[in-house]
Every structure is written in C-alpha cells, then in structure tokens.
Amino acid sequence: MNRVFRFAAATAAVTVSLTMLTGCGALLDEITSGGDAPRDEPGGEITASAEADAFEILKGDCIDLLALKGYGDSSAGEEFEVESVPVVPCAEPHTGEVYAELIMEGNEFPGAEAVEKKFDEWCYAEFEKFVGLSYDESVYGYTGLFPTQDTWDQLDDRTLQCVVSSEEPVTGSLKGVAE
C-alpha cells in the first residue's frame, strides 16, 4: 500500500509545507517496497539514512522531505503517492520531524473528511507543545500521515502522525526551538 501526500501552502510566515500524508492502497503485499529504517537498540533512533517503508515511520524520526519523490513537483492541494520515506539521523540535515502521534479508536472507518479534520485539529494543537510557539507564529509548517479507508480496513491503520516541516534543512530536533 502507498501513502498519499497532499502538498499545500502553510499559513505560517513564509514556509511552504506538506499538509497531509494519507494512507492509500490496493493490496496488502504491496507494502514491502520500502525497507526498515536502521535503528539503534534500545532507543530506536534512526542510525543511518535510508528509504523506510511509509508505515514504519515513528514519533521522533527525522525525514528529508526535500528528497521525497514528488515533494517539489506538486502544486498546493495536490496529492501524490509514496511507498517509502527518506529518513535520516536527526543529527544530520533534514526538513521534517515526526512530533506527535495519535491512535484513533473504532472499528469502522469514520470517513476521509472526519480523519482529515481530526488530523488537522490534533497536529495544530500539538504543534505549539512541541515547537514552543503557535503554528500561526512559527516559521515552520506541519504535515503528517493518517489512515485511509484501505489502510484502516486492510492494515488496521489507526495512527495519525504529525511532522513539523522546514523549507531549509535543520540539524537536531526542533523541539522547543520557539521559532
């Protein structure tokens, strides 16, 4: 299964970022296109740059959004599918960091609009807690991953993941930067 990105202009400062990454797909066996990210034990931090399966991204992972296939090719509001996500150790230059996760409840898919609304509300609220400044005042944007009908039904995907995004590469975590 693939994840779908929707590219949109952020409202904060002059940043342009992704607004949503959603899950989408066809067959369960198609999810093997990306690999496991190399992680240390026991902390689980990324130890080397890699193309990680889009479903293997974790809170705290750093992402090179600029290396993401389709990222620079999309217009505001346009969606595109990806199978893998370029991850890097957070000490290396990157343009995204997973800052919050929420596991949705329920057996029935609540609908795409409801999931997108929950994602936007959750990521917006969690942004200030992580960055140390409200989204509206920050130079950073956010994007993220969330389930679609297919990933919900076929993979039991219930996870919303928020990713703080930067136009320019940064090193280290953006936690508490208040910019």
Side-chain angles (χ1 to χ4, degrees):
M1 301 216 170
N2 298 330
R3 291 277 179 159
V4 176
F5 283 75
R6 184 169 25 174
F7 186 73
T11 58
V14 295
T15 62
V16 176
S17 70
L18 299 174
T19 56
M20 291 175 249
L21 304 154
T22 65
C24 175
L27 300 173
L28 197 57
D29 59 354
E30 291 179 11
I31 66 172
T32 60
S33 59
D36 291 334
R39 298 183 184 277
D40 70 354
E41 297 294 333
E45 292 182 18
I46 301 288
T47 58
S49 298
E51 284 291 320
D53 185 288
F55 293 93
E56 299 299 320
I57 305 303
L58 302 174
K59 183 178 177 183
D61 286 354
C62 290
I63 301 169
D64 184 1
L65 293 172
L66 297 177
L68 182 65
K69 185 177 179 182
Y71 178 82
D73 302 331
S74 298
S75 301
E78 188 176 350
E79 295 182 353
F80 60 96
E81 292 185 12
V82 297
E83 297 175 352
S84 60
V85 177
V87 294
V88 298
C90 290
E92 293 181 11
H94 58 277
T95 50
E97 179 180 355
V98 181
Y99 67 91
E101 280 186 346
L102 175 68
I103 307 298
M104 297 182 68
E105 295 182 7
N107 293 326
E108 296 294 320
F109 183 68
E113 286 184 29
V115 171
E116 290 175 22
K117 182 178 179 187
K118 183 67 173 178
F119 166 81
D120 244 352
E121 290 171 352
W122 174 254
C123 292
Y124 185 86
E126 294 298 305
F127 187 91
E128 184 171 0
K129 295 175 190 176
F130 183 78
V131 173
L133 194 64
S134 75
Y135 171 76
D136 297 320
E137 299 172 295
S138 179
V139 298
Y140 301 107
Y142 72 85
T143 183
L145 295 154
F146 58 83
T148 63
Q149 178 83 50
D150 289 339
T151 63
W152 186 284
D153 293 342
Q154 296 178 27
L155 299 174
D156 199 30
D157 181 15
R158 305 289 191 270
T159 306
L160 305 178
Q161 292 178 310
C162 308
V163 178
V164 62
S165 61
S166 174
E167 283 188 343
E168 298 296 323
V170 298
T171 55
S173 177
L174 292 176
K175 185 174 184 169
V177 296
E179 297 178 335

